Amino acid sequence: MDERSIVFDNYQPSSYNEFIMFENLKGFIKPGSIEERLVNQIDFNRLPRHVAIIMDGNGRWARKKGLPRVEGHRAGAKSVKEIVETCARLGIKVLTLYAFSKENWKRPKREVYTLWKLLKDYLKNESKVLVENNLRLKVIGQKQGIPAIVRKELEKVEKLTTDYERMTIVLALNYGGRSEIVDAVKEILGEKNFHAESLDEEKFSEYLYTANLPDPDLLIRTSGELRISNFLLWQMAYSEIWITKALWPDFRRKHILQAIVDYQKRERRFGDVHS
Ligand code: IPE
Ligand code: IPE
Ligand code: MG
């Protein structure tokens, strides 16, 4: 293991990236902790640019504790705050959180209501934090289907943070990967003077909700489920997948650090042969 420690006063960063990281994590990671051990294993010149997370397991977390499902969602909001802060401090550029799928409308009314209410509260409480920390918020999904009162709040925060560039937090809301693709096709077909020959993968990507964002390098799913659940179908063509049994409300800093450490051990080949 690397003997240097980011919390030691005599630490000498070996690159500009490491220096920035050192400044950002100083005082945030406890000396001698498991988090510190993991941070010391991360190569900050090879961070995943875009981390996407399927935040799953809130309901099971609540059931295990004999609580109503909505309490799991409430507890999950705390994980969101911790993971947003950790990713920003690490220097991740894009963090996408799958918060509400198009299919989630099938759930009981009370649960659906609580999910949107929690999101609204999150925006109200956190918009100041976003501004103070240079964090941009962007929503992907079918916006017109989002309850108006929440949509308004989202649009306000999106506008407020549009120029911030430390990290972009992408919230997938009323999101479905298939409908994203269908929506893109509809938009393309609506273009005047559209020529099929001019369409290629790069061009097509510009019509997706994620236009101008890099594809996810790392996909994390909590709660041990081995499926994609209609998330970023196009964009995930070559993402590395990391699954943990931890339920979302239990997902902490050490988990995301472990995911990044493991990601950096993978060999991404993109169809090529070993280098
Ligand atoms: C994830 O937790 C939150 C959302 C899908 C909004 P779940 O509510 O799916 O929790 P489980 O999978 O039932 O445990
Ligand atoms: C995926 O979780 C959607 C979100 C995390 C928002 P689900 O709990 O809805 O997925 P399934 O139903 O288990 O596939
Ligand atoms: Mg679930």
Side-chain angles (χ1 to χ4, degrees):
M1 195 180 87
D2 193 337
E3 286 305 315
R4 287 171 314 172
S5 166
I6 56 134
V7 294
F8 291 165
D9 285 342
N10 60 359
Y11 169 71
Q12 287 298 320
S14 65
S15 68
Y16 181 69
N17 278 352
E18 271 196 24
F19 169 73
I20 295 291
M21 183 278 299
F22 171 62
E23 286 299 306
N24 285 336
L25 293 177
K26 213 164 45 175
F28 182 68
I29 301 277
K30 280 204 200 88
S33 63
I34 177 164
E35 288 84 358
E36 187 196 37
R37 184 171 57 76
L38 290 165
V39 164
N40 284 330
Q41 291 175 56
I42 293 176
D43 174 354
F44 283 84
N45 296 306
R46 287 196 308 116
L47 282 176
R49 260 211 304 169
H50 182 173
V51 176
I53 308 183
I54 303 178
M55 310 183 288
D56 198 14
N58 296 353
R60 276 162 282 169
W61 182 91
R63 198 174 56 211
K64 264 178 39 188
K65 291 191 148 38
L67 297 167
R69 289 179 58 84
V70 292
E71 291 309 318
H73 300 313
R74 217 179 296 282
K78 283 200 197 116
S79 303
V80 171
K81 285 184 207 161
E82 180 162 327
I83 297 315
V84 164
E85 180 177 6
T86 306
C87 287
R89 284 178 183 272
L90 286 171
I92 303 293
K93 295 315 288 179
V94 185
L95 172 68
T96 298
L97 300 172
Y98 199 8
F100 194 94
S101 75
K102 273 193 78 175
E103 289 75 24
N104 288 146
W105 290 106
K106 294 175 192 160
R107 297 185 177 203
K109 264 209 179 88
R110 187 168 116 84
E111 180 172 346
V112 168
Y113 172 84
T114 305
L115 282 166
W116 289 113
K117 167 91 173 56
L118 283 169
L119 174 68
K120 200 168 148 276
D121 294 346
Y122 173 84
L123 293 170
K124 221 169 135 201
N125 298 332
E126 294 301 298
S127 63
K128 199 164 151 254
V129 176
L130 301 186
V131 171
E132 281 168 0
N133 291 286
N134 195 13
L135 304 173
R136 175 179 171 224
L137 183 87
K138 182 181 165 61
V139 175
I140 57 169
Q142 285 185 335
K143 281 195 178 165
Q144 66 280 19
I146 295 175
I149 182 161
V150 185
R151 193 173 62 221
K152 257 200 240 147
E153 200 63 38
L154 285 165
E155 282 165 359
K156 207 167 89 190
V157 182
E158 276 188 306
K159 216 165 138 195
L160 188 69
T161 62
T162 186
D163 294 326
Y164 295 157
E165 39 195 30
R166 181 179 184 183
M167 180 174 85
T168 300
I169 303 163
V170 181
L171 282 184
L173 294 168
N174 195 25
Y175 176 88
R178 286 186 172 181
S179 45
E180 177 178 30
I181 293 169
V182 172
D183 284 349
V185 172
K186 281 185 185 158
E187 216 183 306
I188 291 168
L189 293 177
E191 296 274 2
K192 279 194 212 113
N193 306 321
F194 171 71
H195 299 292
E197 338 47 276
S198 70
L199 190 64
D200 59 16
E201 291 174 14
E202 202 181 326
K203 184 95 193 130
F204 188 80
S205 299
E206 289 169 17
Y207 289 88
L208 295 169
Y209 308 144
T210 50
N212 301 318
L213 292 172
D215 288 340
D217 300 294
L218 172 61
L219 168 74
I220 296 174
R221 183 167 189 150
T222 58
S223 86
E225 302 293 358
L226 302 175
R227 56 177 171 269
I228 297 181
S229 301
N230 203 12
F231 191 38
L232 300 174
L233 298 180
W234 171 279
Q235 297 85 340
M236 241 143 37
Y238 270 105
S239 304
E240 294 295 329
I241 300 178
W242 191 86
I243 300 205
T244 174
K245 284 220 162 73
L247 305 171
W248 178 250
D250 293 326
F251 192 84
R252 284 290 165 271
R253 201 169 295 152
K254 67 174 182 207
H255 296 104
I256 188 103
L257 294 171
Q258 184 69 60
I260 293 170
V261 167
D262 291 348
Y263 161 84
Q264 292 190 330
K265 289 183 187 146
R266 309 256 183 106
E267 187 191 16
R268 300 185 76 185
R269 289 194 288 275
F270 301 97
D272 205 339
V273 288
H274 290 260
S275 49

